[in-house]
Amino acid sequence: MASATLPSAMNVPGSASQAPIEKPSAPPIKILPSHLAQGYSYVHPVLLLALCAARFQSLVADPVHELFRDLPWLALLQISYVMLCLPPAGSTQATETGSDGEEKKKAASRSPSSPAMTLRPGKPGYRRKQQTGKHGWAGVGAKLMPAFLSLTLTFLLATPILAVLLVLFGAPLTTHNLETVLCAAHMALLSATALVYVHGVDGYVWKEVWGIARPVDAVWGSALGTGLGAWFGAIPVPLDWDRPWQAFPITILTGAYIGYALGSLVSRTPLLYGKRIQFAPETEEMEKKTN
């Protein structure tokens, strides 16, 4: 008789008690609150566009040589950007909300129990000097290792994947192999370096990246802008204008640089920041009705 009093929900498959618990999505990444980070985050896309514009004629004249020559400079700029402006994966700054985290640090520094307020015995009012040197170098080391790992994974994983995607989307398979690999390396540095730096190898986040389901921020916006820019940049390639700059992969790479800069800047506006791309809201409504 006791079994008859059990709730009916226990016998219904797919009930709320048996629903799988989904991992919450990682919040959008904010640029670090320091003045240096905020300022350079706007300067960085301009520097990349200036590099692309300054070397465009050389790129048209000899794509392979120019792409290979610019690769170390692009890597240096990207590493400088992520270290100056972004929180590394797993850090407390990655979970703090920008100015809120900064206010907490300021409040902690003003509290009487803070180590910075420790007074030297026998000398009232004399504050003990903080040993910021070691902490500063420790902070650089904490960012340098994730930056090096992100650069390594970008070259080892992202570059081959993007090279295959370029071939699948129409790049020559039996010719222009160096152009394809170097173009993929440039696109990987633009799109994947910051993503790996702030998200690490979190599989759930990368499912959102490949599913175009991440909330918009400067990191995701620049990666998405790189892909869209390369897509639109491929339009002039098959046109019979007989222009030297139409050769593969000049327009594709130029579009990727422009898309990166626009995506990095536009994604930080209140209109897009934190939003998600919705492809088919009707499908979601039908699923809710059926459930």
Side-chain angles (χ1 to χ4, degrees):
M1 296 298 294
S3 60
T5 61
L6 291 175
S8 59
M10 297 294 293
N11 299 324
V12 179
S15 61
S17 60
Q18 297 177 352
I21 301 176
E22 295 184 358
K23 181 180 177 181
S25 175
I29 301 298
K30 285 190 175 183
I31 302 296
L32 295 179
S34 67
H35 294 295
L36 178 60
Q38 292 290 327
Y40 185 73
S41 64
Y42 290 104
V43 174
H44 180 71
V46 179
L47 286 178
L48 291 180
L49 287 180
L51 175 65
C52 182
R55 308 305 301 174
F56 185 77
Q57 294 299 329
S58 300
L59 180 64
V60 174
D62 190 352
V64 173
H65 178 266
E66 190 59 33
L67 288 175
F68 187 79
R69 180 180 179 183
D70 292 342
L71 200 59
W73 295 106
L74 177 59
L76 180 61
L77 286 173
Q78 289 298 91
I79 289 299
S80 301
Y81 168 68
V82 298
M83 292 182 64
L84 287 175
C85 302
L86 300 176
S91 66
T92 56
Q93 292 172 324
T95 56
E96 289 178 350
T97 56
S99 59
D100 295 338
E102 187 69 15
E103 291 296 328
K104 291 179 181 179
K105 293 179 181 179
K106 291 180 179 179
S109 63
R110 290 194 298 264
S111 62
S113 59
S114 175
M117 298 298 293
T118 304
L119 302 180
R120 183 172 294 181
K123 294 185 179 181
Y126 184 84
R127 295 183 180 181
R128 182 177 298 173
K129 295 182 179 179
Q130 292 182 334
Q131 296 178 355
T132 57
K134 294 182 180 179
H135 296 288
W137 283 111
V140 172
K143 292 186 175 184
L144 188 60
M145 183 58 67
F148 176 76
L149 290 176
S150 66
L151 191 64
T152 303
L153 292 176
T154 295
F155 278 115
L156 294 181
L157 297 179
T159 298
I161 291 175
L162 288 177
V164 172
L165 289 177
L166 285 173
V167 172
L168 292 178
F169 280 99
L173 178 60
T174 58
T175 61
H176 297 80
N177 293 326
L178 282 178
E179 288 89 339
T180 301
V181 173
L182 289 172
C183 180
H186 277 253
M187 291 178 60
L189 284 173
L190 291 172
S191 60
T193 306
L195 281 172
V196 178
Y197 183 81
V198 298
H199 296 302
V201 291
D202 189 339
Y204 189 82
V205 173
W206 285 99
K207 286 181 181 178
E208 289 185 332
V209 169
W210 288 107
I212 316 181
R214 284 287 305 151
V216 176
D217 53 30
V219 176
W220 169 231
S222 59
L224 186 60
T226 301
L228 291 177
W231 177 282
F232 286 108
I235 294 176
V237 174
L239 301 179
D240 54 351
W241 294 345
D242 295 329
R243 305 296 183 187
W245 50 264
Q246 286 182 260
F248 174 82
I250 297 171
T251 58
I252 295 175
L253 197 60
T254 303
Y257 272 83
I258 296 175
Y260 174 90
L262 291 178
S264 176
L265 297 174
V266 173
S267 61
R268 298 174 60 182
T269 61
L271 182 64
L272 295 178
Y273 180 79
K275 306 293 178 56
R276 296 176 185 269
I277 299 175
Q278 299 291 339
F279 288 104
E282 295 83 3
T283 305
E284 295 180 358
E285 292 179 1
M286 292 297 296
E287 290 179 355
K288 290 180 180 179
K289 290 180 181 180
T290 54
N291 293 333

